[in-house]
Amino acid sequence: MSEKKVVIVGAGIVGLATGYQLLRINPNIQLTILEKENGICKHQSGNNSGVIHSGIYYKPESLRAQNCLRGYKLLLDFCTEHQIRHDICGKIIVASNENQLQSLQTIYERGIANNLLGVTNKTIDELKEIEPYVTGLKGIWVPQAGICDYKQVAQTLKVLIEKAGGIILLNQKVNKINTLSSSVEIITESDSFTCDLLINCSGLYSDKLASFTNKNIDFQILPFRGEYYKIKDEKKYLVKNLIYPAPDPNFPFLGVHFTRMINGDLEAGPNAVLAFKREGYKMSDINLVELWETLSFPGFRKLATKFWKQGIEEYKRSFFKSLFTKSLQALVPEIQEDDLISGGAGVRAQACGIDGSLVDDYLILDNDKVINVCNAPSPAATSSLSIGLTIAEMSLKKLYY
């Protein structure tokens, strides 16, 4: 194969996994990855909880389900090969009240449809054999779920890309993209680049970059901040591994839960509140231009009309630690407010349609010389090597066939 130039914008875990898969399949690709920050994985990839998702939540045959199931195996093989810390510890999903029982059943049926082995309905007594301090009506045991160090995964991908001849350039914020007759021009704050194919993996700004080459974008990225608490050391015994609530089918987030981290920490969260800037990791982070773009977007206004009650509850949990604690006590009653230590936060890039619907699947726009990855929420980290493989295969077909 002749040499072709490919530029990837974004050195998060999806961008890195895509670069890795491209060079693994075709080492002759001249690959450059442009990252606007001074390091890799500064946003979604570097602020997640480290969970290896099994695929139980996702609609069968959806891109999320397909890539999570394939990505799960690829990730475990990658972690084993490169000696990256991981632990397939399993998790429980718990219905705390009657209203959650139907949601729990739906999740169980999806697990079966997605061919997860060992997914089992459990009584509360059986759940207590796994997590002694949990409470609820009933639940599901998901043995495939686990935890890992995604920062180490990303760093390993970076090393392998550079070893294969790829170039990763930091502090390269993209300001403009021009599609030329036989190439693509990328203009950053300090330089310009040309390539045969551009792959946009810019996460929170993926719609902005996509708009340079797509004039009919009918969605917008909405930033939702998820805030975490850490559980103090003397109360870590209350949770062995992963405890999740049955999700609200009318709300697109999983609810606050407990996660044992690969470093031994125990986290609780996240909630889900609208961030006032795309990279707004604190309540005080405000960008008036970006906030107005969100508030004036017709899709957001329709979404807010539909979910305003849930949105208010999420903000109340953000402002009042006691309410955050109360949500956690529905799963583990012995947890107390003074057991929670303020932790970090992440911002999820969620595509919203102009009709107010949240895009429930991965969204990849395939143009002539540009591939835009415009919606890759959780489980994108688990799925990253599979998403990367999918995009790499798309890319090579465009470049050579």
Side-chain angles (χ1 to χ4, degrees):
M1 291 185 181
S2 61
E3 290 186 355
K4 296 286 187 178
K5 291 183 179 180
V6 175
V7 169
I8 297 173
V9 178
I13 199 166
V14 172
L16 293 169
T18 300
Y20 164 76
Q21 296 286 31
L22 267 171
L23 291 174
R24 185 184 62 80
I25 298 172
N26 182 0
N28 293 320
I29 290 287
Q30 293 185 26
L31 175 68
T32 302
I33 299 179
L34 304 178
E35 169 56 50
K36 72 181 177 66
E37 303 293 353
N38 62 1
I40 66 170
C41 293
K42 291 287 189 176
H43 295 291
Q44 293 183 101
S45 306
N47 293 289
N48 63 40
S49 59
V51 172
I52 300 174
H53 287 282
S54 64
I56 193 169
Y57 293 108
Y58 314 115
K59 194 176 298 184
E61 304 304 320
S62 66
L63 290 176
R64 288 176 89 182
Q66 293 173 5
N67 282 284
C68 186
L69 296 170
R70 183 174 69 166
Y72 177 93
K73 184 179 185 308
L74 292 174
L75 177 64
L76 295 191
D77 290 346
F78 187 85
C79 288
T80 299
E81 179 182 357
H82 298 286
Q83 299 181 341
I84 296 170
R85 292 181 298 169
H86 64 288
D87 181 9
I88 303 305
C89 55
K91 80 173 177 182
I92 59 172
I93 306 172
V94 184
S96 299
N97 55 60
E98 295 282 346
N99 295 332
Q100 294 179 329
L101 290 176
Q102 182 55 56
S103 172
L104 193 74
Q105 180 62 25
T106 299
I107 294 301
Y108 174 78
E109 291 171 359
R110 285 188 175 180
I112 299 303
N114 286 328
N115 297 313
L116 299 185
L117 301 177
V119 173
T120 312
N121 282 312
K122 297 285 187 181
T123 66
I124 188 60
D125 289 336
E126 290 170 329
L127 290 177
K128 284 181 176 292
E129 293 176 4
I130 302 168
E131 292 284 356
Y133 296 94
V134 78
T135 191
L137 300 181
K138 61 182 295 187
I140 301 171
W141 165 241
V142 187
Q144 288 91 348
I147 53 177
C148 78
D149 185 344
Y150 283 117
K151 289 183 180 179
Q152 191 179 357
V153 172
Q155 185 61 37
T156 302
L157 289 169
K158 176 181 181 293
V159 170
L160 293 171
I161 288 168
E162 292 176 333
K163 186 177 180 180
I167 298 171
I168 300 174
L169 299 177
L170 306 176
N171 302 304
Q172 292 284 347
K173 181 180 178 181
V174 174
N175 288 336
K176 184 69 177 174
I177 299 169
N178 297 312
T179 304
L180 308 177
S181 59
S182 59
S183 63
V184 181
E185 180 186 36
I186 304 102
I187 300 171
T188 71
E189 290 188 337
S190 60
D191 213 334
S192 65
F193 303 84
T194 58
C195 60
D196 299 293
L197 177 69
L198 171 67
I199 303 172
N200 167 19
C201 296
S202 59
L204 285 156
Y205 289 94
S206 58
D207 58 337
K208 295 277 194 182
L209 267 64
S211 69
F212 287 132
T213 54
N214 291 262
K215 301 308 178 186
N216 298 311
I217 296 293
D218 59 355
F219 63 90
Q220 185 169 306
I221 295 296
L222 303 181
F224 287 95
R225 183 173 60 255
E227 300 156 333
Y228 291 90
Y229 285 96
K230 289 187 177 182
I231 307 302
K232 64 183 183 182
D233 288 348
E234 51 266 43
K235 288 299 185 75
K236 287 180 182 178
Y237 70 89
L238 292 174
V239 177
K240 286 181 153 184
N241 293 302
L242 310 175
I243 305 175
Y244 280 62
D248 180 350
N250 297 314
F251 196 55
F253 303 102
L254 294 180
V256 295
H257 48 268
F258 293 94
T259 304
R260 176 172 66 85
M261 311 291 284
I262 199 69
N263 64 3
D265 286 344
L266 181 62
E267 276 192 346
N271 57 356
V273 296
L274 182 73
F276 299 150
K277 61 181 291 190
R278 294 209 181 199
E279 293 169 357
Y281 294 97
K282 298 181 292 185
M283 188 68 71
S284 58
D285 289 341
I286 301 173
N287 181 306
L288 292 177
V289 173
E290 292 182 351
L291 178 58
W292 174 247
E293 287 175 347
T294 295
L295 297 179
S296 62
F297 177 57
F300 171 75
R301 296 201 298 271
K302 293 175 183 177
L303 180 74
T305 299
K306 182 178 181 181
F307 290 116
W308 68 270
K309 289 183 179 179
Q310 292 96 328
I312 288 174
E313 290 303 311
E314 291 294 320
Y315 271 111
K316 286 165 66 176
R317 281 198 296 197
S318 179
F319 280 108
F320 299 105
K321 188 178 178 182
S322 59
L323 295 180
F324 202 107
T325 306
K326 185 178 179 181
S327 296
L328 295 172
Q329 287 172 334
L331 296 171
V332 179
E334 292 193 33
I335 204 77
Q336 299 299 314
E337 186 174 343
D338 62 2
D339 297 330
L340 275 58
I341 304 166
S342 292
V347 180
R348 168 178 171 165
Q350 174 63 59
C352 177
I354 200 166
D355 62 353
S357 63
L358 293 181
V359 179
D360 190 44
D361 207 353
Y362 297 147
L363 177 60
I364 301 173
L365 303 181
D366 182 7
N367 292 351
D368 181 31
K369 302 179 187 67
V370 183
I371 297 173
N372 293 287
V373 183
C374 289
N375 196 57
S378 178
T382 303
S383 308
S384 56
L385 287 165
S386 179
I387 298 171
L389 181 57
T390 297
I391 299 169
E393 290 171 343
M394 290 172 59
S395 301
L396 293 172
K397 285 181 181 178
K398 293 169 75 67
L399 289 170
Y400 294 104
Y401 301 106

